[in-house]
Amino acid sequence: MRLLFRLFAATSLVTILVMGGFAYLEVREERARLEEDLQRRATLIAEAVREAAEPLVARGARSGFERVLKRFGGADRGVALYDQFGSLIDATLDIKPYLGPLSPLVTNAIRDNAPQRRVSQVDGSTVWVHVSPLQRDDRPIGAVAVLLDAEHLESRQLSVWRQTGVRIGLLILLFTGLAWMLVRWTVTRPLARMAEWTKQLRGGHPVQPPPEADVSLFGPLAKEVTGLARTLARTRIVAEQEARLRLSGESIWTEERLKQFARMRFGDQAIFVVSNREPLSHVREGKEIRLQQPASGLVTALEPIMLACGGVWVAHGSGSADREVGDRVGLPVDDPAYTLRRVWLSADEEKGYYYGFANEGLWPLCHIVHERPQFRADDWEHYRAVNAKFAQALVDEMEGVDAPVVLVQDYHFALLPQMIKRLRPDARVALFWHIPWPNSEAFGICPWQEDILLGMLGADLVGFHTQFHCNNFLETVERAIEGRVEWDDFRVIRGQHTTHVQPFPISVAAEPTAAPEGDRNSVRARLGIDEMLVGLGVERVDYTKGLPERMRAIRRFFERWPEYRRRAVFIQVASPSRTSIPRYQALQKEIQDLVNEINEAIGERGWRPIVYRERHHDRAEVAALYRAADLCMVTSLHDGMNLVAKEFVAARDDDDGVLVLSRFTGASRDLRDALVVNPYDVEGMAEAIRIAFEMDPSERRRRMARMRSHVRERNIYRWAGLLLAELAPMPRGVTVGAE
Ligand code: F6P
């Protein structure tokens, strides 16, 4: 109420001042215009009377004046004639009794021999009085007075003020109302919601910030509160988790434990991560810039580590609006814990290094999926140049840091470890290879295998997901380059430098980082699948993921067990990936055609067996789908680990749901309670779907609980902790590859 009163007072004051000022000016102008008009008319009449009366006065006539007065007098005007002494000669009848007060004006006109004028009150009415001297030979011989009705001067003025008063009243009401609504909608209500939201957070409920927390309006305040809330929520989760673990006496790796561990081993030193894919892209959509988390297992795994340890993450700035935002970004945006340093690549560099050598060369080379690798000299040159570019960016970032710890990620940067060591021999470098490593014959077809191996061996530690891939790598080294492979300790010694090769099966954070968009029931209701059995797949559209094989298995399932028609549906989340590569375009088309064909052949009115969602999905959306599903299918033809499998398990805090998992994934070695399938065996996969849908609920829960406990124990913090523990004692300062 007080606010309303203040608004009212403020708008009243402003409106009165502004409108009153304008009205005053208008009244003045109007009055001047009306007076000018009266003056013009009075002068004309006086001139006419003067013409007729002057000869009469000059010759001292005693009659003839009535005629003049009759001709020029009228209902709205009076005329009076005076002699040279200012005495009245004659006047029109209606004004005769009231002429006394005009004497000074008449005397002045005769004395000064010049016209006089003013507004006067005559008989209670407002009149315009104009007196002109009568002359002979330019000397005054009398005067003529013309009186015009000027009542409208006042009434016009009054009416302007009256109108202004009404306008002011209306404007005050309108402005106060508008301001009141505006304040309520854009300030009071959002602030009340923010207050409510903060209250909920304090109560320990991790809720999304209200949409009204409009950053453009509340600016830094909304940002700060969001950041604070996020920090509070995270700190609370971490503290609760620690307390739980202490109580149960478990020694599980947590975010906090990793943070303490990194601090113990490396002090307050920043950790440097290098990957091709950035953890967050800025994407232009019309006039807006949107934040996008990429569909990347690597990002899912590494982000929690950066949140725990802080540091610098160097990555390719590939978002369409990244350059507008800048090459250094604090992340997470609303509560920065680490810095993203973006490296810019030209279109040619991206084409040669990323699409070309990395994804048309090394990707099919390392995955056994019968896709022939393409090796082009041009691509190789770009690959080398981009690795050098990243090495330089990293060295710039590490300036002033003693013995920096560098975690290089993946097949995009095989040459980077050696390059870093040459520039910074004191750096401790680990390279983690997120994809499989094939046997030595298969790898041997790469024309630049020696350079690649030497580049990788610049690292102090090379990690793979499985021991099998470590063995393949060591065998490849043994056969392809000079150096001593010590199989007992799984290390390669070249000159002064030793590279340890070890398996580190990657994982996820066990506690999902994104809150799902709604609970299981609301998601199912939103998708219109409340009563259905739901199968789910979440993939980048990649030929290693076995998507066509999975679609065929789904078709076969409905063919063999038609009683599931209309009772079951399969949702496939498909993130478009590497779409500039023809093979990926062809795959996209192949899957779309296959889905359409199956939906046409098997589908019925009001039911489609496959819901194909080919677009980018953010983590909260995917988390909601994980919880809504009855089974999740991971059918990769070959996969280093596959984190979708582990994410699905991590998301199922209801201990329910079945995982159907390809035996050709690294994850199948960790998640032994999944239904393990051969993705090339369509009949076997169809059978696994049926078994999953028909599995006894208690059996489902037992399996899921065991898998969850595995993911909980072998989480991403443990992965990072073990990797850092291996790296910490590595000797520093040996120059690598300076042949
Ligand atoms: O699995 C290998 C990998 O590079 C991951 O590290 C990453 O999550 C995924 O492929 C995504 O690929 P891209 O970055 O090319 O979209």
Side-chain angles (χ1 to χ4, degrees):
M1 224 41 206
R2 256 176 41 203
L3 176 66
L4 184 61
F5 177 73
R6 275 189 220 146
L7 283 173
F8 182 75
T11 40
S12 303
L13 187 71
V14 172
T15 321
I16 289 172
L17 282 177
V18 175
M19 294 296 291
F22 279 121
Y24 172 73
L25 292 177
E26 190 186 337
V27 162
R28 259 184 39 172
E29 260 176 42
E30 180 72 357
R31 178 150 185 136
R33 194 182 60 75
L34 292 174
E35 284 188 359
E36 207 179 287
D37 188 48
L38 285 167
Q39 167 65 20
R40 194 178 40 76
R41 278 172 56 213
T43 310
L44 280 176
I45 296 166
E47 279 305 301
V49 174
R50 204 157 65 88
E51 291 264 317
E54 243 170 19
L56 296 175
V57 177
R59 70 169 185 267
R62 296 221 162 257
S63 62
F65 291 106
E66 303 93 81
R67 222 168 352 104
V68 175
L69 293 174
K70 203 166 162 198
R71 189 176 334 146
F72 295 107
D76 61 341
R77 61 188 183 225
V79 180
L81 289 166
Y82 296 86
D83 65 13
Q84 60 182 321
F85 305 108
S87 306
L88 182 69
I89 300 171
D90 205 352
T92 46
L93 282 180
D94 44 345
I95 60 166
K96 228 178 211 171
Y98 313 108
L99 291 176
L102 301 188
S103 305
L105 210 63
V106 174
T107 314
N108 289 349
I110 296 169
R111 187 194 62 217
D112 300 343
N113 194 16
Q116 302 289 319
R117 58 192 70 100
R118 73 162 191 234
V119 178
S120 246
Q121 287 299 317
V122 172
D123 189 20
S125 307
T126 311
V127 289
W128 177 262
V129 182
H130 175 92
V131 183
S132 277
L134 299 173
Q135 297 166 327
R136 190 175 60 192
D137 301 333
D138 288 337
R139 280 189 309 108
I141 54 168
V144 53
V146 176
L147 283 74
L148 294 181
D149 178 12
E151 212 40 40
H152 62 291
L153 279 184
E154 303 299 328
S155 62
R156 184 76 197 102
Q157 214 162 309
L158 253 173
S159 114
V160 170
W161 281 119
R162 213 174 289 128
Q163 277 174 11
T164 306
V166 174
R167 274 187 215 146
I168 286 178
L170 284 176
L171 280 178
I172 288 175
L173 286 181
L174 196 77
F175 286 156
T176 312
L178 268 178
W180 172 243
M181 282 192 301
L182 222 80
V183 169
R184 265 189 79 84
W185 279 336
T186 55
V187 182
T188 322
R189 251 176 35 174
L191 275 181
R193 290 203 184 182
M194 271 173 79
E196 177 56 26
W197 168 61
T198 324
K199 211 160 108 193
Q200 293 220 24
L201 277 171
R202 263 199 303 136
H205 313 290
V207 276
Q208 291 289 325
E212 284 90 343
D214 181 351
V215 173
S216 66
L217 188 67
F218 294 109
L221 174 68
K223 240 171 109 183
E224 281 307 311
V225 175
T226 312
L228 200 68
R230 195 188 254 265
T231 313
L232 273 177
R234 268 189 37 217
T235 316
R236 185 186 293 268
I237 291 169
V238 168
E240 283 174 2
Q241 200 181 37
E242 289 297 319
R244 256 198 332 268
L245 291 175
R246 221 170 291 129
L247 277 179
S248 62
E250 287 178 81
S251 65
I252 283 179
W253 280 86
T254 59
E255 180 180 338
E256 188 55 29
R257 184 169 162 197
L258 177 63
K259 201 184 285 180
Q260 297 306 335
F261 175 80
R263 204 164 284 159
M264 236 165 61
R265 292 294 167 102
F266 306 110
D268 277 336
Q269 214 183 71
I271 288 180
F272 297 88
V273 165
V274 195
S275 72
N276 169 69
R277 186 59 64 200
E278 58 182 341
L280 189 89
S281 305
H282 288 92
V283 181
R284 177 149 289 287
E285 268 180 12
K287 288 189 176 163
E288 303 273 293
I289 292 183
R290 205 168 48 77
L291 302 180
Q292 184 170 301
Q293 296 162 326
S296 157
L298 182 153
V299 170
T300 313
L302 285 174
E303 197 175 31
I305 299 169
M306 292 308 275
L307 289 176
C309 303
V312 182
W313 187 330
V314 182
H316 171 207
S318 55
S320 52
D322 279 357
R323 283 179 200 251
E324 291 171 61
V325 177
D327 64 355
R328 299 181 72 81
V329 184
L331 290 181
V333 178
D334 48 14
D335 180 23
Y338 67 94
T339 305
L340 164 64
R341 161 70 203 276
R342 286 173 169 148
V343 174
W344 310 121
L345 299 182
S346 69
D348 277 352
E349 283 173 328
E350 192 179 1
K351 184 165 172 271
Y353 137 84
Y354 172 74
Y355 290 111
F357 195 74
N359 284 318
E360 286 191 292
L362 288 176
W363 180 263
L365 178 71
C366 292
H367 288 93
I368 306 168
V369 285
H370 315 290
E371 180 68 26
R372 180 181 286 192
Q374 308 285 326
F375 293 117
R376 293 176 285 255
D378 257 16
D379 292 349
W380 169 245
E381 277 318 311
H382 281 302
Y383 186 83
R384 286 167 71 110
V386 170
N387 271 243
K389 199 175 201 177
F390 270 79
Q392 192 50 55
L394 200 61
V395 167
D396 293 346
E397 291 296 322
M398 297 189 310
E399 204 182 312
V401 182
D402 181 42
V405 174
V406 186
L407 307 180
V408 180
Q409 306 301 314
D410 235 350
Y411 59 99
H412 309 90
F413 296 117
L415 307 180
L416 197 55
Q418 188 185 41
M419 290 174 173
I420 298 169
K421 280 280 189 173
R422 279 185 179 156
L423 294 165
R424 285 293 303 263
D426 62 327
R428 283 167 284 182
V429 182
L431 166 67
F432 190 78
W433 198 261
H434 287 254
I435 60 176
W437 189 275
N439 64 42
S440 55
E441 287 83 5
F443 198 82
I445 67 167
C446 174
W448 298 283
Q449 75 156 332
E450 278 185 30
D451 304 65
I452 288 174
L453 293 171
L454 292 176
M456 292 172 75
L457 289 174
D460 300 295
L461 181 63
V462 174
F464 295 94
H465 291 299
T466 65
Q467 184 62 54
F468 183 66
H469 296 149
C470 293
N471 295 352
N472 279 351
F473 176 74
L474 287 171
E475 257 174 47
T476 313
V477 169
E478 205 165 44
R479 291 195 184 191
I481 57 172
E482 270 179 37
R484 199 166 78 240
V485 174
E486 294 194 343
W487 283 95
D488 289 349
D489 294 318
F490 294 100
R491 59 188 187 183
V492 181
I493 301 173
R494 291 192 70 254
Q496 306 263 305
H497 184 70
T498 303
T499 305
H500 296 259
V501 180
Q502 283 185 26
F504 297 93
I506 206 164
S507 193
V508 294
E511 274 75 29
T513 42
E517 279 184 351
D519 60 18
R520 178 177 161 84
N521 291 339
S522 67
V523 174
R524 291 174 72 101
R526 200 172 60 225
L527 296 172
I529 50 170
D530 323 32
E531 303 300 320
M532 294 262 186
L533 289 165
V534 178
L536 175 68
V538 178
E539 264 88 19
R540 285 183 305 107
V541 180
D542 193 299
Y543 51 80
T544 59
K545 302 293 177 189
L547 282 163
E549 288 76 2
R550 182 184 315 168
M551 298 306 152
R552 286 189 197 104
I554 293 171
R555 175 181 193 145
R556 201 62 200 114
F557 163 72
F558 284 114
E559 281 168 358
R560 284 175 65 185
W561 293 282
E563 63 273 25
Y564 280 99
R565 296 184 185 193
R566 306 193 79 94
R567 274 184 59 210
V569 65
F570 286 80
I571 300 174
Q572 180 61 52
V573 168
S575 307
S577 176
R578 306 173 189 170
T579 44
S580 301
I581 300 175
R583 176 67 181 94
Y584 282 76
Q585 291 162 6
L587 178 72
Q588 230 171 333
K589 170 96 175 48
E590 182 189 346
I591 299 170
Q592 285 160 3
D593 289 348
L594 200 53
V595 169
N596 290 339
E597 190 188 306
I598 297 171
N599 279 343
E600 262 169 42
I602 310 274
E604 295 167 12
R605 219 181 132 83
W607 171 74
R608 275 178 305 164
I610 301 173
V611 176
Y612 187 61
R613 297 165 48 134
E614 194 187 81
R615 64 168 171 84
H616 179 80
H617 287 64
D618 64 29
R619 284 192 204 153
E621 260 182 302
V622 174
L625 288 170
Y626 282 146
R627 280 156 163 251
D630 294 288
L631 74 85
C632 179
M633 296 189 81
V634 173
T635 57
S636 313
L637 305 182
H638 199 191
D639 219 330
M641 173 54 69
N642 192 289
L643 288 184
V644 167
K646 292 192 175 177
E647 272 178 50
F648 172 64
V649 170
R652 295 314 293 253
D653 52 6
D654 59 352
D655 277 352
D656 206 347
V658 180
L659 177 64
V660 175
L661 182 59
S662 159
R663 54 187 276 214
F664 304 124
T665 60
S668 68
R669 285 154 214 261
D670 291 345
L671 304 174
R672 303 215 173 239
D673 282 282
L675 293 183
V676 176
V677 292
N678 172 355
Y680 292 94
D681 173 10
V682 169
E683 296 295 327
M685 278 205 286
E687 177 80 32
I689 294 172
R690 185 191 61 80
I691 294 173
F693 281 151
E694 292 178 7
M695 191 181 284
D696 185 65
S698 60
E699 167 76 1
R700 273 195 329 245
R701 294 216 155 79
R702 250 197 319 274
R703 283 172 179 259
M704 183 51 87
R706 278 198 296 258
M707 289 195 286
R708 281 179 62 72
S709 113
H710 181 95
V711 171
R712 234 177 105 237
E713 275 169 32
R714 311 216 158 200
N715 59 30
I716 189 65
Y717 303 114
R718 179 176 182 272
W719 178 86
L722 297 186
L723 200 121
L724 292 176
E726 282 300 320
L727 195 58
M730 301 273 170
R732 327 162 190 176
V734 179
T735 309
V736 172
E739 302 96 319

